[in-house]
Amino acid sequence: MEKWWFNSMLSNEKFEPRCGLSKSRGSLNAIGHTGGSEEPILNDTDQIFEIDNDSFFMSELESFFSSFFNSRAKSKNHYHYHSMYDTQSSWNNHIHSSINSYLRCEVSINNPIFVGTDNYSDSYIHSFICTESIKSSSGDSNLGTSGNVDDFNIRGGSNDLDLNKKYRHLWIQCENCYGLNYKKFFRSKMNICEQCGYHLKMSSSDRIALLIDPGTWDPMDEDMVSIDPIEFHSEEEPYRDRIHSYQRRTGLTEAVQTGIGQLNGIPTAIGVMDFQFMGGSMGSVVGEKITRLIEYATNRSLPVIIVCASGGARMQEGSLSLMQMAKISSALSNYQSNKKLFYISILTSPTTGGVTASFGMLGDVIIAEPNAYIAFAGKRVIEQTLNKIVPEGSQVAEYLFHKGLFDLIVPRNPLKSVLSELFQLHGFFPL
């Protein structure tokens, strides 16, 4: 049986949406199948399956359609049509079952595809991706996904829990729209959600790669590590052990990386905070590394960039962490007022506490990322302390920009070129 016969039969009758086939005539045209080894592809708008000239599959459909349309032509009374509609669900399920068998045979899916449910397409995509990831453990694969990726979450029945955990590392879920982003391409897209454009958190190493020219990064004070100055003890985990745990997890020695590099050929002193290391909290080592960076830039007349991402001062070091605010601010005062040099502060999400109260807001030009959470005290702390509700969105970059808190909101894509232009405007040029 030819493909056109199946298409014409489908276009004459409307299927229920749960069948996995579109109701429109235009979306039911079969896609040319070039070989038995190719996987079916789900289109961006409609779920379209490739139907090949499989003899068993087509003959079964043909016999079923023929019997149905012959019985329909024999009688046209009211009761016959009533019984015909009663049996519509049964032949829909029959067709669906045949399609499921065909798809499982084509893409070698061992887990059954859930039919008759709203998450049919989700289950198919989930099974298809899992199958592809098994096949291509050592190479790339083309993943077929639906257009509504926002609605696709890693979920399933009790039998799928282990499978979901096994392949959860393939995806990153957006904090804003909860859409899934394929991790393999997420870093190349600068950790920006493909669905809503939300800027998710970046590691300090990724930010350095984003801003600094390749091969020009020269780190500073990498061997500087925290000790336990006030012998802080916690019931959960000692402070020293916690530091070692984060060092193993992130590969960093502290919550900031500092160094010298070139930004479009312009020598620059840059410090990048990393929220993955104890929430980017500012302890003695963080304050010392940033202070040394500023003093080095002062002596060599270099522009300074500090990328802020912090939950504030580190409580495990008590008042010693608070002293870092004054120490850094003092170094910046000499850098800006006496040497007349140029400092840019970049506020990312989140920037709170002592960082906001000190060097985060002392830049000659203050730049924020879109939708960045910027505050001194967090929403929960304010509400619990003052017993008042913090208005929704009052601590987001766009709202604070209209209140004049900083100068620019710049997305990650043009950030490097914007910084380069600002440097040249202030007399810093490529070597």
Side-chain angles (χ1 to χ4, degrees):
M1 185 184 66
E2 300 295 335
K3 296 178 185 178
W4 63 267
W5 184 92
F6 179 68
N7 293 333
S8 63
M9 293 300 100
L10 296 183
S11 60
N12 290 331
E13 290 297 324
K14 294 183 177 179
F15 288 7
E16 294 181 12
R18 62 188 179 86
C19 275
L21 298 173
S22 175
K23 289 184 177 182
S24 62
R25 178 186 178 94
S27 63
L28 287 172
N29 293 329
I31 305 174
H33 197 58
T34 57
S37 62
E38 296 180 3
E39 287 82 4
I41 300 173
L42 276 75
N43 199 4
D44 290 339
T45 56
D46 298 298
Q47 299 169 12
I48 304 174
F49 303 113
E50 294 185 75
I51 307 299
D52 203 350
N53 292 327
D54 188 287
S55 58
F56 171 76
F57 175 75
M58 302 305 275
S59 61
E60 191 175 14
L61 283 180
E62 183 175 9
S63 61
F64 196 85
F65 272 109
S66 300
S67 61
F68 170 73
F69 287 122
N70 290 335
S71 62
R72 178 179 176 182
K74 290 179 181 178
S75 175
K76 295 184 179 181
N77 58 63
H78 171 75
Y79 299 101
H80 176 77
Y81 277 95
H82 181 73
S83 62
M84 178 188 69
Y85 290 125
D86 287 340
T87 60
Q88 185 176 10
S89 60
S90 64
W91 58 262
N92 275 341
N93 290 333
H94 179 77
I95 294 173
H96 211 153
S97 177
S98 300
I99 292 176
N100 288 338
S101 301
Y102 177 81
L103 291 177
R104 284 197 296 270
C105 178
E106 283 289 302
V107 298
S108 301
I109 297 177
N110 296 323
N111 292 330
I113 298 175
F114 301 128
V115 299
T117 57
D118 293 335
N119 65 340
Y120 171 80
S121 61
D122 291 358
S123 302
Y124 170 76
I125 297 170
H126 171 69
S127 301
F128 181 67
I129 290 169
C130 292
T131 305
E132 284 295 305
S133 62
I134 294 173
K135 291 180 181 178
S136 58
S137 58
S138 61
D140 298 337
S141 62
N142 296 322
L143 297 180
T145 57
S146 69
N148 294 330
V149 184
D150 300 8
D151 300 331
F152 173 41
N153 292 316
I154 301 179
R155 61 175 184 266
S158 58
N159 296 331
D160 292 338
L161 291 178
D162 295 337
L163 196 61
N164 289 340
K165 291 179 181 178
K166 185 176 181 180
Y167 297 103
R168 191 178 296 272
H169 67 280
L170 294 174
W171 304 96
I172 293 179
Q173 190 171 37
C174 177
E175 302 170 2
N176 183 54
C177 69
Y178 303 105
L180 294 182
N181 297 271
Y182 189 35
K183 183 179 285 188
K184 185 175 182 179
F185 307 123
F186 191 58
R187 185 177 178 183
S188 64
K189 296 182 181 297
M190 304 180 186
N191 290 25
I192 301 175
C193 177
E194 293 185 36
Q195 321 305 322
C196 64
Y198 187 80
H199 287 53
L200 279 77
K201 295 179 180 65
M202 289 183 73
S203 68
S204 56
S205 299
D206 288 342
R207 289 192 182 276
I208 292 171
L210 173 65
L211 297 177
I212 300 301
D213 300 340
T216 64
W217 175 245
D218 183 18
M220 297 174 58
D221 302 313
E222 284 187 299
D223 56 345
M224 192 178 295
V225 296
S226 295
I227 58 174
D228 193 356
I230 65 173
E231 298 182 355
F232 181 88
H233 297 289
S234 173
E235 296 180 358
E236 299 177 358
E237 188 178 15
Y239 179 50
R240 285 180 178 271
D241 294 344
R242 194 172 185 186
I243 289 290
H244 295 158
S245 174
Y246 277 103
Q247 288 174 344
R248 290 191 301 268
R249 190 182 311 173
T250 63
L252 305 175
T253 56
E254 255 298 340
V256 67
Q257 290 194 67
T258 58
I260 309 299
Q262 294 183 18
L263 190 149
N264 286 340
I266 302 174
T268 306
I270 183 170
V272 184
M273 305 190 74
D274 199 316
F275 192 78
Q276 296 178 0
F277 194 105
M278 293 189 69
S281 54
M282 181 174 61
S284 300
V285 172
V286 172
E288 182 66 21
K289 290 182 71 172
I290 293 176
T291 302
R292 291 188 182 189
L293 177 74
I294 296 170
E295 291 175 347
Y296 183 91
T298 303
N299 295 331
R300 287 161 178 77
S301 299
L302 299 176
V304 172
I305 297 175
I306 298 180
V307 181
C308 306
S310 175
R314 186 173 299 177
M315 67 175 186
Q316 289 87 348
E317 297 187 17
S319 59
L320 292 177
S321 65
L322 298 177
M323 292 171 57
Q324 309 309 313
M325 300 167 58
K327 182 169 67 175
I328 297 173
S329 299
S330 176
L332 277 174
S333 176
N334 180 51
Y335 175 85
Q336 293 172 299
S337 301
N338 299 334
K339 296 296 183 177
K340 306 297 181 183
L341 296 173
F342 186 52
Y343 163 51
I344 296 179
S345 173
I346 301 176
L347 310 181
T348 68
S349 186
T351 300
T352 60
V355 173
T356 306
S358 58
F359 61 89
M361 292 297 173
L362 292 178
D364 296 301
V365 173
I366 304 175
I367 299 174
E369 283 190 340
N371 302 305
Y373 184 83
I374 302 168
F376 175 69
K379 185 176 187 296
R380 177 179 55 83
V381 175
I382 294 175
E383 292 179 346
Q384 291 180 355
T385 304
L386 302 179
N387 199 23
K388 291 185 178 180
I389 302 298
V390 177
E392 194 67 31
S394 61
Q395 295 177 313
V396 178
E398 283 72 13
Y399 177 84
L400 298 174
F401 173 75
H402 290 291
K403 298 299 181 180
L405 194 65
F406 37 79
D407 303 294
L408 299 169
I409 296 179
V410 182
R412 288 174 188 160
N413 297 317
L415 180 59
K416 187 174 182 179
S417 60
V418 169
L419 294 173
S420 178
E421 291 183 12
L422 287 172
F423 284 159
Q424 295 184 41
L425 182 65
H426 287 78
F428 297 96
F429 299 96
L431 294 175

